[in-house]
Amino acid sequence: MSDIIIGIDLGTTNSEVAVVQDGVSRVIEVDGARLLPSVVGLADDGTLLVGQAARNQFALYPERTVRSIKRRMGEDTKVAMGPESYTPQEISALILKRLKQAAEVDLGQPVTRAVITVPAYFSDAQRQATRDAGGLAGLEVVRIINEPTAAALAYEVDHPQGKTILVYDLGGGTFDVSVVRVARDVTEVLASHGNNHLGGDDFDDRIIDHLVEHLRAQGHDPRAERSAMARLTRAAEAAKITLSDAPFALIQEEYLLERDGAPVHLSLELAREDYEAMIEPYLRETLEAVHIAVNGAGLTVSDLDEVLLVGGATRTPLVQQRLEAALRMQPRAEVDPDLCVATGAAIQAAVIAGVQVASVLVDVTPYTFGTSALSILNGEPYPYTYCPLIRKNTPIPVTKSDVFETMHDGQRSIIVQVYQGEDPDALNNTEIGSFRIDGLSDVPAGNLIITTFSLDVNGILHVSSREKRTGLEAQITIDNATARFTGDALTAARDRLSALIDGYEYEGATDADQDGATDADGTAAGDVAGERREAVAARALVEKAERLLGEANAQDRDDLVDGIEAVRDALAQDDPRTLESAVAQLADLIFYLES
Ligand code: AMP
């Protein structure tokens, strides 16, 4: 039996253990789940609890439960758990021991060696404490590696000339950003920054505050009721997770409190937009840290080759949007952000053990899918603004929904166009289906329509749109949605000028760059002059070409620059025929570069 080395991500909120077997990395389940909450406690009868059971009792029995012990690693201190006190190493050892046991059961053999990850900023004392915790758990820690290094390993960021990557790690209770240089087998952390008291738990806290305020406004105060607060904490996290994929979350807790012998129920809908306003200050802080880290590495944003997302809270769409806008590139998120560091640790462990490792294969969508709506494109209202719902490289299966609004008072129907492609102008993407909902309520403009895209591993895309107030729904199923659509289909789609007569409006259009999306007089698609649309499309194409410049080789870059100049000249000359031919050439070049 070979001597397996396991990889462990010993996290502040959750910990994970992974292993490479037959060349493939795999996260091992503990108590039926891949994340083990990093919480340790004692039950009523003194039994030791590690993981979910300890987490469950935290709100009720904080005096005999310990969480976030990682923050204390390296300190010469003890924390109380029931009648006794323990060092941070001892508490961490209990978590490590649980992971070790799970690995032994899963692998059917003893496990004695591990690679453990730590944050890049950990001091020698903190690293030593981690090593000691391993020892107490019966594990020889063969190497301590930095978490961003592990993330880079999981993504196989490797390049003969080396690559500079930014790892943005937003977990439950900590935020770290690191700039890492990867060249062959050597990974160097150039700079790191963060806040070890910022994370998804703060997002939960803002939702909890909102729920408490709502209850107080009705004359009930749950703050003193431990069990009610425990339920609100759980409900807040669940709502937050729902809002990562849907525009609304319904929070319902029956019999939450009792007042004068009568039960108090909670029922409240939270809109993603309102939630995003609550967490905006945190995101601003993380972006400031990103810039500090990039500057600290002596670099600028344009020097970054890749951005990797790590930590469960990076599933929040606003995190991805803000980061993409600030760094001008789509962050990579295809390896599960909760498991990415453990996966990298397992890969490092395999390398040390001399085991071959295949790449981490994840099923992802090769294209972006979305719909179109009236919004702001390049500073102007534009009826075919592309609204992506499922972004390229998202792991599948996936379901995402967003909310849109009708444009006209008394609008009784909408047409929903479904596109495949990346261009901000939907007309430059491929329309792969459309459907209509009739019989909408006779209400003023702003009737909410929730559109949901579900893509499965077989490339079947299911799109549905539902009037929020009534539940009236229409849908379409598109087979082979992930197939590359041909040039003919693309041309046909572009020619469909009659589409979107009754279009709908993108409600998420509240960002600075989308302000003013509301079309006060309800201008419909057909009112936009064709020529202006061509110009808008041409500018969007130029932008896209500019984004490709960074990764193109010298020859392609020259061609792109020529193509961009030709389109710009044609725009300046205001000559539709020259513009059409320049746009076609540049579009062909981009198509070739992307395929
Ligand atoms: P980690 O410490 O990396 O395990 O991250 C845990 C944090 O990620 C917790 O605050 C979770 O509530 C949060 N989280 C997990 N899944 C999601 C999701 N789908 N959307 C937003 N936050 C999430």
Side-chain angles (χ1 to χ4, degrees):
M1 222 180 284
S2 66
D3 188 8
I4 285 188
I5 308 177
I6 54 175
I8 291 179
D9 172 6
L10 184 60
T12 308
T13 313
N14 294 302
S15 297
E16 299 85 35
V17 56
V19 68
V20 170
Q21 252 188 325
D22 301 325
V24 179
S25 66
R26 177 168 69 82
V27 174
I28 293 172
E29 293 199 348
V30 191
D31 300 329
R34 299 198 290 181
L35 305 187
L36 176 75
S38 304
V39 188
V40 178
L42 295 176
D44 284 344
D45 59 0
T47 314
L48 178 69
L49 305 173
V50 181
Q52 193 58 46
R55 185 180 186 221
N56 290 347
Q57 73 160 25
F58 178 78
L60 291 175
Y61 308 110
E63 64 284 354
R64 47 180 158 93
T65 316
V66 179
R67 62 173 190 174
S68 302
I69 195 63
K70 185 170 176 177
R71 294 207 173 111
R72 316 298 298 272
M73 290 296 270
E75 287 178 24
D76 184 13
T77 184
K78 286 198 167 189
V79 292
M81 181 169 68
E84 307 256 356
S85 291
Y86 303 84
T87 62
Q89 293 89 313
E90 286 170 329
I91 299 288
S92 292
L94 295 171
I95 299 167
L96 291 172
K97 203 165 186 155
R98 184 72 198 88
L99 297 170
K100 173 181 185 293
Q101 275 171 352
E104 287 175 337
V105 170
D106 180 281
L107 298 167
Q109 68 176 82
V111 171
T112 57
R113 302 202 292 162
V115 168
I116 302 183
T117 59
V118 295
Y121 62 79
F122 253 29
S123 65
D124 284 347
Q126 290 168 307
R127 286 166 199 261
Q128 188 55 45
T130 306
R131 236 175 233 289
D132 293 345
L136 290 171
L139 285 170
E140 180 202 344
V141 181
V142 292
R143 194 163 306 170
I144 296 269
I145 64 167
N146 290 321
E147 288 161 7
T149 302
L153 282 169
Y155 273 97
E156 279 193 291
V157 179
D158 196 5
H159 199 262
Q161 270 89 50
K163 269 192 172 181
T164 306
I165 61 170
L166 183 125
V167 180
Y168 177 103
D169 181 349
L170 188 63
T174 57
F175 167 64
D176 300 309
V177 53
S178 308
V179 179
V180 180
R181 181 87 193 147
V182 189
R184 301 250 171 221
D185 295 339
V186 185
T187 310
E188 187 190 355
V189 179
L190 302 180
S192 79
H193 196 70
N195 176 348
N196 60 11
H197 288 277
L198 171 67
D201 298 349
D202 295 297
F203 301 179
D204 300 347
D205 288 345
R206 296 293 71 76
I207 299 179
I208 295 169
D209 290 346
H210 179 70
L211 300 177
V212 169
E213 257 170 50
H214 172 80
L215 287 161
R216 276 194 177 148
Q218 297 176 340
H220 313 295
D221 192 345
R223 286 276 177 200
E225 305 272 341
R226 275 190 187 186
S227 68
M229 288 308 291
R231 285 178 62 189
L232 290 183
T233 305
R234 202 169 285 274
E237 186 183 14
K240 170 186 77 175
I241 290 173
T242 300
L243 290 173
S244 285
D245 299 326
F248 297 98
L250 184 60
I251 302 167
Q252 267 179 318
E253 291 292 322
E254 298 199 332
Y255 300 95
L256 182 70
L257 296 164
E258 215 182 77
R259 195 178 162 96
D260 304 329
V264 175
H265 308 300
L266 170 71
S267 178
L268 183 69
E269 186 181 70
L270 181 59
R272 183 191 275 166
E273 203 182 342
D274 296 330
Y275 163 66
E276 288 181 342
M278 296 175 195
I279 62 169
E280 178 73 47
Y282 298 118
L283 300 195
R284 218 172 302 129
E285 187 185 330
T286 69
L287 291 179
E288 280 162 19
V290 164
H291 289 294
I292 292 171
V294 172
N295 291 341
L299 301 172
T300 63
V301 162
S302 57
D303 295 317
L304 299 174
D305 296 308
E306 306 235 14
V307 178
L308 310 183
L309 295 184
V310 177
T314 60
R315 293 202 184 88
T316 312
L318 191 64
V319 169
Q320 305 193 8
Q321 285 162 25
R322 288 283 184 272
L323 209 51
E324 183 166 352
L327 302 179
R328 297 192 287 279
M329 83 176 91
Q330 192 185 340
R332 294 184 65 182
E334 62 265 29
V335 179
D336 186 324
D338 281 312
L339 307 178
C340 163
V341 169
T343 301
I347 291 171
Q348 178 69 74
V351 171
I352 293 170
V355 174
Q356 281 285 327
V357 193
S359 63
V360 179
L361 281 182
V362 189
D363 260 333
V364 294
T365 160
Y367 307 111
T368 296
F369 296 95
T371 183
S372 60
L374 174 70
S375 189
I376 297 292
L377 185 64
N378 298 326
E380 295 184 36
Y382 182 61
Y384 307 100
T385 306
Y386 190 40
C387 307
L389 273 94
I390 296 178
R391 299 288 304 270
K392 181 176 170 175
N393 289 331
T394 304
I396 44 180
V398 61
T399 297
K400 296 274 180 194
S401 43
D402 212 335
V403 65
F404 299 83
E405 292 182 4
T406 53
M407 281 165 50
H408 311 287
D409 290 347
Q411 185 174 333
R412 307 304 296 272
S413 68
I414 55 163
I415 296 176
V416 179
Q417 244 88 18
V418 181
Y419 296 93
Q420 176 210 71
E422 318 301 321
D423 201 286
D425 180 346
L427 295 183
N428 287 335
N429 294 323
T430 308
E431 186 190 325
I432 56 172
S434 74
F435 61 95
R436 193 180 168 105
I437 316 185
D438 290 308
L440 296 174
S441 309
D442 186 4
V443 292
N447 188 13
L448 299 184
I449 311 290
I450 296 176
T451 293
T452 303
F453 277 49
S454 291
L455 182 65
D456 75 8
V457 285
N458 301 314
I460 298 170
L461 178 67
H462 186 80
V463 181
S464 63
S465 285
R466 178 169 54 87
E467 184 181 35
K468 183 166 183 280
R469 55 188 294 131
T470 60
L472 174 75
E473 189 174 278
Q475 48 194 286
I476 189 173
T477 297
I478 300 160
D479 292 332
N480 272 327
T482 45
R484 164 59 94 176
F485 286 84
T486 64
D488 285 351
L490 197 60
T491 313
R494 280 184 188 148
D495 288 346
R496 281 192 45 130
L497 295 180
S498 60
L500 249 194
I501 296 150
D502 282 324
Y504 61 161
E505 188 178 345
Y506 183 38
E507 212 242 350
T510 48
D511 299 342
D513 60 343
Q514 294 188 326
D515 257 346
T518 311
D519 192 340
D521 60 8
T523 310
D527 294 346
V528 176
E531 270 184 36
R532 198 175 78 189
R533 192 176 55 235
E534 299 301 342
V536 167
R539 281 199 294 272
L541 199 66
V542 165
E543 273 185 23
K544 178 166 188 163
E546 285 171 341
R547 284 199 297 276
L548 289 174
L549 280 175
E551 46 190 270
N553 64 29
Q555 173 64 49
D556 292 341
R557 199 173 312 131
D558 287 345
D559 292 347
L560 276 170
V561 169
D562 290 344
I564 290 169
E565 271 175 15
V567 173
R568 284 210 176 114
D569 287 346
L571 278 168
Q573 288 165 23
D574 207 11
D575 174 356
R577 292 187 66 166
T578 320
L579 182 63
E580 191 183 334
S581 113
V583 162
Q585 277 189 28
L586 185 57
D588 282 351
L589 180 58
I590 291 175
F591 183 87
Y592 157 76
L593 288 178
E594 286 190 329
S595 28

